[in-house]
Amino acid sequence: MPDLERDGRSELPYGLVLRSTEVGGRVGEVRRWAAAGTPVRDAAPGALPERLLADHVPESAARLLGTAAQEAGMRPVLTVPLSDLAVPRLPGGTDRSGARGPHLLMEAPEPPPDEGQVLLEADATGVLRWVFPETAMRGSRTDRAAGTQTFRVPLQQFALPPTGPAADRGIVGFGVGKVLHLLRFPIERAAGLAADFAVSRWEKRNRPYGLRLTTPQTFLATGEMAGYGAGEGSGMQVSAGRLAELADRPFLLFVHGTFSRCRTGFRGIADDELLLHDLHRRYDGRVLVFDHPTVHLDPVDNARWLLEHLPADRRLTLDIVTHSRGGLVARHLSRDGLAGAGRPAPSVRILVHVATPNAGTALAEKQRLSDLLGVFTNLLGLFPEELVSTTLEVVLEVVKHGATGVLGGLDGLAAMDPASEGLGELNASAVPTEGSVRAVTSDFEPPRDAALTMRALDGLVDRLFGVGNDLVVPTDGVHHAGSYVVPDPLVVPSASAVVHSGFFRNAQVRAGLSEWLPGS
């Protein structure tokens, strides 16, 4: 294996160039996949799941991501293994681009005009990260003068005391060894439409709006199963007329979070049959779930759609349970004027924020998009469930969107940026006094015997946030955001602290819901 010289330049096979800033190490044998010489639309899927498994990615994550990536049209082109990576104890220095800290720059030949490419980094601890081309972060696809794309791979290192199988592998920290996979994918272009609409077209087709009146048996129904647009009835799209007929008593409404649907976001509630049946009994069948696009539309757009599908002449009373970004949607529902002239805004009697980024999340900053997608990719792989693959689908669509240099079209994610104008407006007002607002949050710390990948992911995210967090949202930002301060938050104890996607599997959280939701 050739040496990777610190602050050096290495020419690798197949047109690759690796430049180092404060990083030393070894470069293994570069693998060229069959898709490198074939249009990716025609290339066979390859063996990405098996390759990721060999990279120490946990089996569930390797199978899930590898399969989902193949189904999304992503094909491995080149693979570069790196080992014995070393950085200075006190990283510093600035290269000509102004970027600080140890990193690698990998130059790769540009893809064909109808293809995009992205780098998937697999750390030896099993943590996965997405790396976009440098030009993509500036809003273009390639360095046209050079005919290349450059990927900046930051080198962060921190110790992880080995336990169990990790000790046998000799892995002692994050950033010691990595495998870089260059993936290509076809770019879908619709005649006459800008690239900004790529994600919106996909989301409209695969994540449509839907408002359903449910029973315990239909709570997890998909849009197709529920018959969105096909009429009324138990588990079907509910009409404003039917809601008006039931408006004499409060409804319970569930609003999901980013990349999700109600059937995935609230699976933990559905699996608690006693709680699920009890809630339907308490609300006499008035249990609603609201599915909505979360990527290309702002929460205010989601709220406006919901308001337009409520009765125009009856004011509903709502108790709302939200997860993540869904809490921002719920906060917009009672804003003056949003319902439209002559339409009554609903009365929100109870609002429960579960992991809502009321103060935003650093992962939603534009320059952090690849970090956001990486965290969700790892979480979905580490906590596999029957329905997780449907969430990973949209994550991969956003990966492709960002890798092609499209800076717009992600309003739903940008709304969670701590500096966003929408959050500033929301947080200029205090918690409403006419209703009851609750908050549930967590400062996740894995137990010492947790899997190596989970411990490494937590260490990486903690360094990014610098404060307590559930791997996606800052702990305190759920209940303290400007003037919007929720008293007496439920902070899941550290002994059982949960990650962002796991709140409703926690017994204490479900007990809180049972206590706070009075029914009709």
Side-chain angles (χ1 to χ4, degrees):
M1 294 188 293
D3 287 331
L4 176 64
E5 295 184 3
R6 184 167 293 171
D7 299 318
R9 181 181 186 276
S10 301
E11 293 192 9
L12 304 180
Y14 313 117
L16 295 178
V17 175
L18 205 58
R19 288 188 285 152
S20 162
T21 295
E22 301 185 275
V23 181
R26 304 278 288 172
V27 182
E29 182 179 356
V30 178
R31 174 177 178 177
R32 184 176 188 267
W33 295 71
T38 305
V40 291
R41 285 182 172 83
D42 302 327
L48 186 57
E50 290 74 17
R51 177 65 251 191
L52 293 177
L53 196 58
D55 296 340
H56 301 308
V57 175
E59 182 174 4
S60 59
R63 301 290 183 196
L64 179 68
L65 175 61
T67 301
Q70 291 175 170
E71 292 176 350
M74 306 175 88
R75 301 288 184 264
V77 177
L78 296 169
T79 293
V80 182
L82 305 171
S83 62
D84 300 326
L85 296 172
V87 300
R89 286 181 177 272
L90 296 175
T94 304
D95 70 5
R96 287 179 296 177
S97 69
R100 297 187 61 83
H103 63 272
L104 299 173
L105 293 178
M106 191 179 88
E107 297 176 4
E110 67 176 336
D114 61 346
E115 294 180 8
Q117 60 186 8
V118 67
L119 204 62
L120 176 62
E121 170 196 320
D123 190 81
T125 60
V127 171
L128 298 165
R129 295 201 293 186
W130 297 101
V131 182
F132 292 159
E134 287 287 280
T135 47
M137 302 309 294
R138 300 193 295 269
S140 60
R141 291 191 62 225
T142 61
D143 181 347
R144 296 179 181 177
T148 62
Q149 284 188 329
T150 300
F151 299 85
R152 183 181 303 272
V153 181
L155 257 294
Q156 298 164 284
Q157 291 188 332
F158 51 88
L160 288 166
T163 59
D168 298 335
R169 293 207 304 261
I171 297 171
V172 296
F174 180 89
V176 178
K178 297 183 182 295
V179 180
L180 307 180
H181 298 288
L182 187 65
L183 308 181
R184 285 187 180 172
F185 51 88
I187 296 175
E188 306 295 339
R189 297 189 182 277
L193 291 179
D196 296 52
F197 293 97
V199 165
S200 67
R201 291 197 310 272
W202 186 93
E203 201 168 23
K204 288 175 183 176
R205 183 171 64 248
N206 296 280
R207 296 290 188 272
Y209 277 112
L211 180 64
R212 295 189 292 113
L213 190 64
T214 72
T215 68
Q217 292 72 34
T218 62
F219 186 74
L220 290 186
T222 64
E224 293 76 15
M225 292 166 59
Y228 283 159
E232 297 178 29
S234 178
M236 310 289 267
Q237 176 82 27
V238 66
S239 69
R242 180 58 177 155
L243 293 175
E245 293 174 1
L246 298 172
D248 58 316
R249 281 181 280 172
F251 290 84
L252 174 59
L253 172 67
F254 288 89
V255 187
H256 63 76
T258 305
F259 301 134
S260 189
R261 305 291 275 172
C262 283
R263 68 189 299 256
T264 53
F266 299 108
R267 180 64 182 265
I269 292 176
D271 286 346
D272 186 336
E273 293 188 10
L274 289 177
L275 175 61
L276 184 65
H277 281 78
D278 187 45
L279 291 176
H280 280 83
R281 178 192 58 78
R282 291 187 195 185
Y283 287 87
D284 195 22
R286 292 167 171 80
V287 177
L288 296 164
V289 296
F290 177 42
D291 283 320
H292 56 282
T294 65
V295 173
H296 78 282
L297 292 177
D298 188 282
V300 70
D301 296 315
N302 302 144
R304 185 176 291 111
W305 185 97
L306 178 58
L307 292 170
E308 290 172 351
H309 288 74
L310 298 183
D313 55 353
R314 294 292 303 272
R315 189 183 194 198
L316 302 190
T317 297
L318 301 177
D319 294 346
I320 311 178
V321 175
T322 70
H323 180 239
S324 191
R325 176 189 177 280
L328 303 182
V329 177
R331 289 178 65 185
H332 283 291
L333 289 177
S334 56
R335 290 182 62 189
D336 292 339
L338 192 61
R343 280 183 170 268
S347 172
V348 179
R349 185 177 66 166
I350 296 172
L351 172 56
V352 182
H353 290 294
V354 178
T356 296
N358 283 311
T361 170
L363 293 177
E365 298 171 1
K366 184 176 294 185
Q367 68 271 24
R368 294 287 189 187
L369 177 60
S370 60
D371 293 320
L372 174 71
L373 298 169
V375 169
F376 271 93
T377 298
N378 284 286
L379 283 179
L380 294 171
L382 290 169
F383 296 94
E385 294 183 1
E386 176 187 352
L387 305 173
V388 155
S389 61
T390 62
T391 304
L392 188 56
E393 288 174 0
V394 67
V395 172
L396 293 179
E397 289 302 317
V398 180
V399 168
K400 293 190 289 184
H401 179 98
T404 53
V406 179
L407 298 182
L410 302 176
D411 293 353
L413 302 182
M416 298 183 294
D417 186 329
S420 72
E421 183 178 345
L423 273 183
E425 293 177 356
L426 280 178
N427 294 331
S429 301
V431 169
T433 57
E434 61 270 18
S436 175
V437 181
R438 300 282 184 170
V440 182
T441 187
S442 167
D443 182 3
F444 176 74
E445 292 295 336
R448 288 190 57 83
D449 60 350
L452 177 66
T453 303
M454 175 53 72
R455 291 187 288 126
L457 178 63
D458 179 67
L460 186 65
V461 173
D462 282 350
R463 283 158 176 76
L464 190 154
F465 277 106
V467 295
N469 61 84
D470 65 7
L471 297 185
V472 176
V473 171
T475 305
D476 292 345
V478 177
H479 59 89
H480 198 293
S483 298
Y484 192 81
V485 180
V486 182
D488 301 320
L490 169 57
V491 182
V492 180
S494 58
S496 57
V498 293
V499 297
H500 187 75
S501 57
F503 277 89
F504 297 108
R505 293 209 172 278
N506 181 271
Q508 187 174 0
V509 174
R510 298 197 307 274
L513 295 180
S514 181
E515 176 186 346
W516 301 330
L517 301 172
S520 300

